[in-house]
Amino acid sequence: MPTFDFICQSCQNAFELFVRSRDTAACPACGSVELEKQVSMPRLKTSGTSALAMQAARRRDKVQGTERMVEQAKYEASHDD
């Protein structure tokens, strides 16, 4: 299913949408079907982009894990069970 970028002519909302050939696209903000399809870059997945995505995911997971540990420590310190 292809992804397209649109700009709504009614509310000027810019959004990305998966559209099948038989479906009519509509603005998620106002519901208008008066849309302008934008030229979008193809998304390529190579070993280089895949490796960069994995590095970003690991960094994100590390930060989230640290945040969870800090919140757990705060919770445990404030609850003497």
Side-chain angles (χ1 to χ4, degrees):
M1 195 170 7
T3 302
F4 296 102
D5 295 323
F6 294 97
I7 294 181
C8 178
Q9 297 300 304
S10 298
C11 68
Q12 300 303 310
N13 180 33
F15 60 96
E16 182 178 272
L17 191 64
F18 293 111
V19 181
R20 295 183 182 130
S21 59
R22 65 181 180 269
D23 292 342
T24 301
C27 177
C30 71
S32 174
V33 293
E34 295 179 27
L35 307 174
E36 181 180 328
K37 192 185 289 187
Q38 301 296 299
V39 177
S40 56
M41 297 297 294
R43 292 173 176 84
L44 299 175
K45 190 169 187 177
T46 64
S47 60
T49 58
S50 181
L52 290 174
M54 288 302 295
Q55 287 175 352
R58 285 186 189 109
R59 282 192 302 270
R60 181 199 63 225
D61 291 347
K62 183 177 181 181
V63 168
Q64 289 176 346
T66 302
E67 290 171 353
R68 277 190 225 115
M69 287 174 38
V70 168
E71 290 301 316
Q72 182 66 30
K74 285 180 187 177
Y75 175 81
E76 290 174 1
S78 66
H79 291 83
D80 294 328
D81 291 335

